[in-house]
Amino acid sequence: MFELYDPLDYKYIGSDKVLAIGLGTYGIKSYDKAFEAFTYAITHGLNLIDTAEMYDGGRAEEFVGRLIREVGRDMVFITTKMLPDRLDDKEKVLRAAEASLRRLGVAYVDLFLIHWPNDRIPIQQQIQNFEILAERGLTRYIGVSNFDLAQLRIAMESTKKYEIVVDQVYYSISNRLYVEKELLPYCIQNKITLQAYTPLERGSVASNPVLSKIASKYGKTNIQVALNYLISHKNVVAIPKTERIDHVKEIMGALGWRLDPSDLEYIKKHA
């Protein structure tokens, strides 16, 4: 992978550097349009792609596989997620992972996440069953998604050999208080990357009047300010979803600059 942006636009996942903004694949309506947009994004340095086995019954993983065949495996940091009902047995974990890898057309992913905690199984058991993916070389890193602070603490304490490197959660300017007060400080302290899904609130940030005021100051759009707000926080990577090249270009415009601390505080108080 190569760097096209300012060093401040990169974050670490484990020992890998990825761009602070990736692309999500949930809810894609036109895979053909999305293919054009994602190909453009990847060839312009947006190297983190997020998917999951449950997205569109596996079609989203197949879409990512198609992208990889187009741009090359080394161009993409692949994240996928496993349904929690797989986690009560290591063989079920392996079978589910192998099915994801077949859809993706790869021998391994860079990051495998538990999509959300299974409330029928102790977290310790879930994590220890999930670690087999790293042991078998099916993923380079493991992590979790939708784990609150208490659950993340247990997950961190449950690993035997491999570290939890990511917690992917719902985080935006409209849904930030718990994340910023409780979860993010712990992630920073423990070198965990916090990935923000639904960072644009399905486009509703575009009409946020607080963001409009800030955006006019910088000559940016509301979407660019909303993303820049998130990635201005240490250890945070944002994962918006798009299907259009013009939206990819707008997303890319959130990189290469940073909001002033005073504007970050203004957003915290008023958005």
Side-chain angles (χ1 to χ4, degrees):
M1 297 181 186
F2 53 92
E3 296 185 12
L4 295 175
Y5 297 88
D6 190 282
L8 64 83
D9 287 322
Y10 290 86
K11 305 289 178 84
Y12 278 94
I13 294 179
S15 59
D16 283 48
K17 279 200 297 187
V18 300
L19 206 59
I21 298 177
L23 293 178
T25 58
Y26 176 73
I28 291 175
K29 295 176 182 176
S30 171
Y31 285 102
D32 287 337
K33 287 183 179 179
F35 184 80
E36 184 179 7
F38 274 64
T39 301
Y40 180 90
I42 294 165
T43 56
H44 286 79
L46 273 68
N47 59 354
L48 173 62
I49 306 297
D50 177 84
T51 190
E53 65 167 311
M54 73 166 286
Y55 294 170
D56 201 9
R59 288 188 68 202
E61 287 184 325
E62 292 172 353
F63 165 73
V64 175
R66 181 182 164 201
L67 281 170
I68 293 164
R69 289 191 295 275
E70 176 70 17
V71 302
R73 175 67 182 89
D74 291 343
M75 292 286 287
V76 184
F77 187 100
I78 307 170
T79 301
T80 195
K81 299 183 284 295
M82 183 176 293
L83 289 166
D85 62 1
R86 320 292 198 194
L87 298 168
D88 57 350
D89 179 84
K90 289 184 179 181
E91 289 305 315
K92 287 172 65 175
V93 168
L94 286 170
R95 286 196 298 271
E98 288 163 355
S100 285
L101 295 179
R102 283 195 297 272
R103 288 188 290 269
L104 290 161
V106 297
Y108 67 93
V109 295
D110 298 289
L111 175 64
F112 230 125
L113 305 179
I114 296 173
H115 207 148
W116 62 87
N118 185 328
D119 59 11
R120 297 180 295 102
I121 309 167
I123 288 175
Q124 182 180 32
Q125 181 182 347
Q126 297 177 51
I127 297 299
Q128 291 179 1
N129 285 344
F130 199 62
E131 276 190 287
I132 196 170
L133 300 181
E135 292 172 7
R136 297 288 180 89
L138 304 184
T139 185
R140 297 173 56 236
Y141 300 109
I142 59 170
V144 297
S145 180
N146 297 302
F147 275 51
D148 64 23
L149 178 56
Q151 293 163 334
L152 182 58
R153 286 182 188 274
I154 297 171
M156 288 286 287
E157 295 166 358
S158 299
T159 57
K160 289 185 175 180
K161 184 178 178 181
Y162 298 92
E163 296 179 349
I164 302 295
V165 299
V166 161
D167 190 4
Q168 185 180 121
V169 298
Y170 173 24
Y171 178 32
S172 71
I173 64 158
S174 304
N175 187 72
R176 60 177 183 77
L177 294 179
Y178 174 76
V179 172
E180 291 178 1
K181 183 179 179 181
E182 303 289 344
L183 195 56
L184 185 54
Y186 179 83
C187 288
I188 293 171
Q189 181 181 359
N190 290 277
K191 298 181 180 179
I192 300 168
T193 301
L194 191 145
Q195 291 185 337
Y197 70 75
T198 320
L200 302 177
E201 293 291 345
R202 295 179 171 84
S204 68
V205 298
S207 58
N208 185 295
V210 173
L211 295 185
S212 296
K213 181 177 180 179
I214 300 297
S216 63
K217 175 180 175 180
Y218 289 86
K220 299 292 183 179
T221 68
N222 286 22
I223 282 173
Q224 290 166 342
V225 172
L227 291 172
N228 194 275
Y229 172 87
L230 297 178
I231 66 173
S232 291
H233 290 77
K234 192 175 180 180
N235 288 42
V236 173
V237 170
I239 310 172
K241 172 255 180 181
T242 185
E243 299 178 36
R244 307 188 324 268
I245 287 180
D246 63 326
H247 193 206
V248 170
K249 292 178 179 178
E250 184 177 21
I251 287 168
M252 290 164 56
L255 298 162
W257 59 284
R258 284 294 182 270
L259 290 161
D260 290 336
S262 61
D263 292 320
L264 290 172
E265 288 305 311
Y266 183 85
I267 292 170
K268 289 178 189 292
K269 290 179 180 178
H270 300 285

